[in-house]
Amino acid sequence: MPIPVFHLSLRTEVDVVQARQRAREIAAELGLDNQDQIRMATATSEIARNAFRYARNGKVQFAVGLDEPQHLEVTVSDSGPGIENLEEVLDGRYKSRTGLGMGILGTRRLMDDFSIETTPVGTTVRMQKHIPRHHALFTQRTVRDLNQK
């Protein structure tokens, strides 16, 4: 089970920016290279912005999975109306005048693992980026130390 590192509620646009910044910082602390730090920050920002803009009660949680491969996991959840045409979005068939759906598809491409669950009472997106194998293995203690920063 992933160990929580940081979480925040998405109440304002500033919270979305903070989620992006924190994603990059945590990715750096875990040893992800600059490109993966940017991918993690971009993906977090995109999904957090969707939760803030189209839903309510958005939350972002960062956690570290200790099982192999170790990974940084970001979970964005909300209590909005859900995504009505998720299959079309994920298949790349959805056409939107506002760009809705393209961010989900792009985010999925940036991540090592990506899942999305949606119902009429909310959506949960889980994204993972693997921690490089050449990096020292994290333990519960070293992950808890990240919480102190």
Side-chain angles (χ1 to χ4, degrees), residues 20-142:
R20 178 186 179 85
Q21 291 170 334
R22 197 63 181 124
R24 184 145 188 193
E25 291 167 0
I26 294 169
E29 291 173 25
L30 294 173
L32 275 72
D33 67 24
N34 193 50
Q35 289 293 329
D36 279 341
Q37 292 171 35
I38 293 168
R39 288 181 185 104
M40 198 80 235
T42 300
T44 300
S45 177
E46 183 63 38
I47 300 301
R49 189 170 311 285
N50 284 352
F52 174 73
R53 185 176 293 156
Y54 301 111
R56 60 190 174 283
N57 300 324
K59 296 179 180 106
V60 179
Q61 180 174 322
F62 298 89
V64 176
L66 298 180
D67 295 335
E68 288 291 327
Q70 290 191 336
H71 57 273
L72 171 56
E73 179 175 294
V74 178
T75 303
V76 180
S77 60
D78 65 58
S79 56
I83 302 169
E84 191 173 303
N85 46 2
L86 181 60
E87 289 305 314
E88 284 181 63
V89 170
L90 293 175
D91 289 343
R93 295 180 286 120
Y94 183 69
K95 302 296 183 223
S96 166
R97 288 176 282 139
T98 64
L100 178 66
M102 295 310 297
I104 293 171
L105 195 56
T107 296
R108 183 172 72 171
R109 291 179 182 142
L110 293 173
M111 295 293 97
D112 293 325
D113 292 300
F114 178 92
S115 68
I116 185 168
E117 297 172 18
T118 190
T119 69
V121 295
T123 300
T124 300
V125 177
R126 283 185 183 79
M127 309 172 280
Q128 296 179 358
K129 215 33 150 158
H130 298 162
I131 297 170
R133 294 189 190 281
H134 64 273
H135 200 281
L137 288 178
F138 288 90
T139 64
Q140 286 187 1
R141 181 176 181 186
T142 57

